[in-house]
Each structure stands twice: as structure tokens, then as C-alpha cells.
Amino acid sequence: MVSGRPRRPTGGAAGAAGVLAVAVPAAVMLGLGLWGLDRGGTWRDEAVTLQVARRSVPQIWRLLHEVDAVHGLYYLFMHAVLAVPGSGAVADEVLLRLPSVVAASAAAGLVAALGSRLARPRVGLWAGLLYAITPMVGHYAQEGRSYALVAAGAAGAALWLAKAVDGRPWWPYAALVAGTGLLHELAVLMLPAHAVTLALARVARREWGRWAAAAGGALLVVSPLALVSGRQAGQVAWLTPPDAGAALRLLGQFTGRADGTLWVYVGLVVVAATAPRRSALVRVALPLAVLPPLLLMVLSQVRPMYDDRYVLFALAGAPLLAAAGADRLLGALPRAGTAAGARAVALVGGSAVALAFVGQLPLYRLDRDPGRRPDNLTAVAALAARELAPGDPVVFLPSIGRRPALAYPRAFRRARDLALKAPGPASGTLYGVEADAPVLRRRLAAVDRLWVVAEPYVLRSRWYPGDPAERLKLTVVNEEFVPREPRREFVSGGTVLRLYVRRPAAAGPPRTGPAGPFPAGWSSAEPPRVAPPAGGPATGSRVSPPALPRPGPW
């Protein structure tokens, strides 16, 4: 059987130990998740969650037919969460991330429960604590995205798999897999890992049939989402096939990234995996930690879909294996089988986890710095609220640069968005629909001063957009406007805010030097023969250029 639980004393003491083994990691994870939760800035992916979740349910439903279907259930859930009355931007940011904190806490408790069930309470305690202190877990515990919820769902499915094979009903397992798959469809990669677990456990044919029915039902529920999101695969066109470096980075993230603990962690995993007789815990944890990332990396050689956050749910297997390895080593010590020896072993293991956390603490601190994210849209919004006067015309280069205005509309409420034809909620898009080139040219011709909100790569690379309206914005700003002198330019949160004034009639287009927001010499009559950067931005999409970290929509 999958559980294969070792015999151990029963009664009140054992029950209390099991409860503590689950409660302590959950509490530690909750505390770490709440620490610095109001860090004072949202980045681009969180901003998308913020602006989409504020839409009405019909508006969200319309959007999902065009983009981001993979996050549809999460957006609907966050719509309900953000309906809770707040008191400003900070309250919204805390509410945005709070579900991820709670989910990460639940995941830590579920990992501990799995270790306790398949081994013993001290193994569950160590595994849950190791999970909680892993910086990758802490990072996504404070992200306003779905990945921590997916990890909790996958941990719950693994726990219920063990229970179902021991005679409990299979429908909760099917519900957990289906719900987790609807939060992110790539989570169904847990199913091959579960199949290997059943094969290693040599379960009866009857149990195989029940598992197949449960897994098949879950896949049936998730399949419509897969069909719709498959048509939106252009959103992840920035992804590239993972290489050996990607695998090594993931190994570091799964084991904590601190050089001092990496090889100790890996050594404990090897000790557990190479035991003469594989324990029930190893049969569950090893396939979970290895197979989903491996399968996604292999599939991504043909169709790139791999990103480390997509396999966060597989991380739960790593601390379970490390805890099992530590239990095997410490359990071999003299007198470890006595009550006093067992308490000493548990204390030694807990102390080792505490030391590991001390080693990870600098990473946790860095992660709470808003500057560690690719951008800080809260800082951009604060800058706009301070500098933009009522009626000031604004152009976003490119249109995805409208993100701070969508996440924090109050900061831009006094400005006029010259390029916008229809806002996102009304058009069923993420960033709105921009006016066509002739209309935009007329609007630009009517202003003598112009604020430009630009993404950094627009300023430092020869980006050449395929969209006519985007090309027009670039050429008009370069040919007809110059930065105001004395220069009014502000850089904040990874975005540039620059004020332009109309070029004097006697002056022609600049011949040398980057006078505008892109290299001199570009003109609407003869655009440069430069291809857009691989994975570069497309109008109306969330694709990021290669010069920046690539969060992507999935």
C-alpha cells in the first residue's frame, strides 16, 4: 500500500505529536508569509491580477475568451477577495497577497501531514519546516498570483492519494486534482508522478481502476481550459527551451539556494532515495519532486512551456525526501529507539532546520525589497500622481506600459491618454485598444507638450514594433517633439516618465544622438530594417522583452 505507515505507539501523546507536527510548520509559514507583506509595491504580474480582479464577472469572462484563460478561476476567486472593503492601495496589496500566504501555510501543513502519515511525526515536522523556510516558497507566498494555491492543491492531492489507497473515498482526490488543474492546467503533471507512486507501491488492479477513474474525471474537467488556453499560447512566446542550466537553477531553488546547505540537502535526499527498501514516503515524494519538472522540460524542447514557477507544486517532494534521509541517519544513532533518544533526535533535526533558516534569512530579506522585482508599479503611480497636472496628455510606449495606470487609476485620473480608444474592461483586453494611426496623429498634432511613460527597453534598444499605432507614437515623438529643457525626466520602479515639448518649426528631425525615446534617424517615411527582439512585446500582450526578467502571463 502507498501509506505503508510504520507501527508506532498510539494514544494521546502520539496524537498530540501528530497535531504539533502539522501545526508548527503551518504557523511558521504563516508568520514568514505575513512578514513584510505590505512591502510597498506591486510588479507587473500582480498588477494584472489587481486590475482584472476589479472588473465585473461578465467583464472577466469576456477577457478570458481572448487572453489569460489559464488564470480564469484565480481571477474570479480574487474578484471575491478584493470585494472586501479596504482603505487604500496598501490594503489592496495586502488583500492581493493574503490568499497566497494562507495557501503556502496550508501547503506547509499538508507536507507535514504527509510526512507524518507516511513516516512518523518528526519526519513530518522536519519536512513541513523545510518547506516553510525554502526561499522559493516564501517568494510565491507573497505573490498575488495563483502558484502558492496550486502548490497547496497538489500537496492536498498527494495526501489524499495515500488516504484513498488505504480505503478512503476517491472523489476528494479527483476534486483536488481537478481544482488544482483549473487554477493552472500544468498542475496535471502531478498525475504521472502519482501513477509511478502506485506502480512502486504495487497496488491491486482494483485500486488502479479507481485511480484511473478519478484521474480521468479530473482531466475531463480541465480539458476545456486546456483547449481555450492552447489558442492563447502566444502569451508565452517569450519562453525558450530549458537547458541544463535551468535544471541546475531549479535544483538550487528546490533546496534553498544557499551554497552551505545545498549539498547537505542533496546528500539527505540521496540517503532517502537509496535506502535498501524504499519507504512509502519515498515512493510518493521522489516521483513528485522529479517527474513534473522533468516532463515539462522535455515537452518544452518541442514547444517551450517551462518556467520554474509552473512546477512550484513539485517542490513539496524535496523536503519530504530530505526529512526522510535525516530520519534514516539519526535513527541509526545509539539509543535513538528509546523515548529519550527519540526526543533528542527530534531536537537535533529541528535545530538543523533552524540553522538552515539562518542561512536562508538574507534571501528572505532581499525578497521583501520591492526593488528585487522586475518593476514597481506602485512607485510609478506615485510619481505620476505627483507630476501630472489636470489635463496633461500622456502616451504610453508601448501600450503595455499602461499597466500602472490600470492598477492605480487614481494616480492617472487627471491625465489624458491620447492613444486609448477603448479601455480594457470595455474591450475585453488586458491593456485596452488603441486608436488607429490617423486618429492618433490628429490627437498628437493638437498638443504642444506631452508626457511619455516608457518601458526601459524602448529607450535603450532598437525596438521596432509591428503595430502601426505603436510605430506612429515612436516616430511622432522623435520627429515632432524634444525633451523639455531644463529636462524633466523621472525614473522610478523600472519605468521612465519624461516630459516633451513640440519641436520648433525651423528645426528638423534629429540627425545624431538619441534625442527622443528611440535612436535618432528613425522616421515614419523610412523605418529602420531592424527586427523586434526575440520574445519582444506585442501590442495588447504581456510579453516582456529579453532585456528584462520575464514574468509572462502563465
Side-chain angles (χ1 to χ4, degrees), residues 123-185:
V123 173
L125 175 66
W126 298 341
L129 289 173
L130 279 173
Y131 183 87
I133 68 168
T134 303
M136 185 181 189
V137 173
H139 177 88
Y140 289 105
Q142 292 199 334
E143 286 274 286
R145 299 298 278 174
S146 64
Y147 307 109
L149 281 72
V150 172
L159 177 61
W160 202 270
L161 176 69
K163 292 183 176 183
V165 173
D166 274 350
R168 301 290 290 274
W170 280 93
W171 68 263
Y173 170 80
L176 283 165
V177 174
T180 306
L182 289 175
L183 280 171
H184 200 285
E185 63 198 53

Side-chain angles (χ1 to χ4, degrees), residues 120-537:
R120 63 184 86 223
R122 72 187 184 205
V123 173
L125 175 66
W126 298 341
L129 289 173
L130 279 173
Y131 183 87
I133 68 168
T134 303
M136 185 181 189
V137 173
H139 177 88
Y140 289 105
Q142 292 199 334
E143 286 274 286
R145 299 298 278 174
S146 64
Y147 307 109
L149 281 72
V150 172
L159 177 61
W160 202 270
L161 176 69
K163 292 183 176 183
V165 173
D166 274 350
R168 301 290 290 274
W170 280 93
W171 68 263
Y173 170 80
L176 283 165
V177 174
T180 306
L182 289 175
L183 280 171
H184 200 285
E185 63 198 53
L186 291 179
V188 299
L189 290 173
M190 74 175 89
L191 291 176
H194 295 171
V196 171
T197 293
L198 296 179
L200 292 174
R202 298 180 182 178
V203 299
R205 182 177 299 179
R206 180 180 64 250
E207 297 303 327
W208 272 108
R210 292 171 178 171
W211 175 80
L219 289 174
L220 191 63
V221 170
V222 177
S223 58
L225 171 63
L227 291 174
V228 175
S229 64
R231 296 195 293 266
Q232 301 172 1
Q235 286 188 271
V236 289
W238 53 273
L239 290 171
T240 57
D243 54 14
L248 289 175
R249 285 192 298 273
L250 186 67
L251 174 64
Q253 289 180 311
F254 273 23
T255 56
R257 295 189 296 176
D259 294 337
T261 61
L262 172 62
W263 296 114
V264 174
Y265 203 120
V266 171
L268 292 175
V269 170
V270 171
V271 168
T274 57
R277 183 180 178 183
R278 284 193 183 90
S279 66
L281 187 147
V282 172
R283 292 197 295 265
V284 171
L286 187 59
L288 178 61
V290 173
L291 272 184
L294 179 62
L295 289 174
L296 189 56
M297 286 182 179
V298 170
L299 291 172
S300 294
Q301 302 305 315
V302 178
R303 180 180 176 183
M305 295 182 291
Y306 173 80
D307 191 88
D308 50 18
R309 61 194 149 167
Y310 302 162
V311 292
L312 173 67
F313 67 89
L315 187 150
L320 286 166
L321 290 169
D327 186 60
R328 183 184 173 199
L329 290 178
L330 295 176
L333 295 176
R335 302 177 61 82
T338 66
R343 287 193 294 270
V345 166
L347 181 61
V348 170
S351 300
V353 174
L355 287 174
F357 174 65
V358 172
Q360 311 287 4
L361 191 56
L363 296 173
Y364 261 93
R365 287 175 173 166
L366 283 174
D367 204 53
R368 277 142 185 79
D369 178 2
R372 300 289 294 181
R373 265 61 179 182
D375 48 24
N376 184 346
L377 302 189
T378 308
V380 178
L383 183 62
R386 188 186 77 215
E387 297 297 330
L388 298 182
D392 273 354
V394 176
V395 163
F396 295 91
L397 289 173
S399 61
I400 57 174
R402 198 172 277 111
R403 285 181 290 231
L406 294 171
Y408 301 99
R410 290 184 180 179
F412 290 82
R413 69 184 185 278
R414 298 182 299 178
R416 289 184 294 143
D417 188 341
L418 291 187
L420 188 63
K421 177 181 179 182
S427 61
T429 62
L430 281 176
Y431 305 111
V433 175
E434 297 205 326
D436 56 26
V439 173
L440 182 55
R441 181 174 285 280
R442 289 196 299 270
R443 292 179 183 179
L444 288 168
V447 300
D448 292 323
R449 63 195 303 270
L450 178 69
W451 284 98
V452 172
V453 180
E455 294 284 288
Y457 58 86
V458 175
L459 302 178
R460 65 172 180 247
S461 69
R462 292 175 63 82
W463 173 62
Y464 180 61
D467 182 76
E470 296 283 16
R471 287 201 303 272
L472 179 67
K473 285 187 289 186
L474 288 169
T475 54
V476 168
V477 170
N478 183 59
E479 294 178 356
E480 300 183 16
F481 289 85
V482 292
R484 202 203 75 169
E485 295 295 342
R487 183 174 289 240
R488 293 196 65 188
E489 178 179 302
F490 309 90
V491 180
S492 182
T495 299
V496 177
L497 181 66
R498 182 186 291 173
L499 178 61
Y500 288 81
V501 295
R502 186 165 294 279
R503 186 182 300 278
R511 297 183 181 277
T512 59
F518 57 98
W522 288 28
S523 69
S524 55
E526 188 177 354
R529 305 300 180 186
V530 180

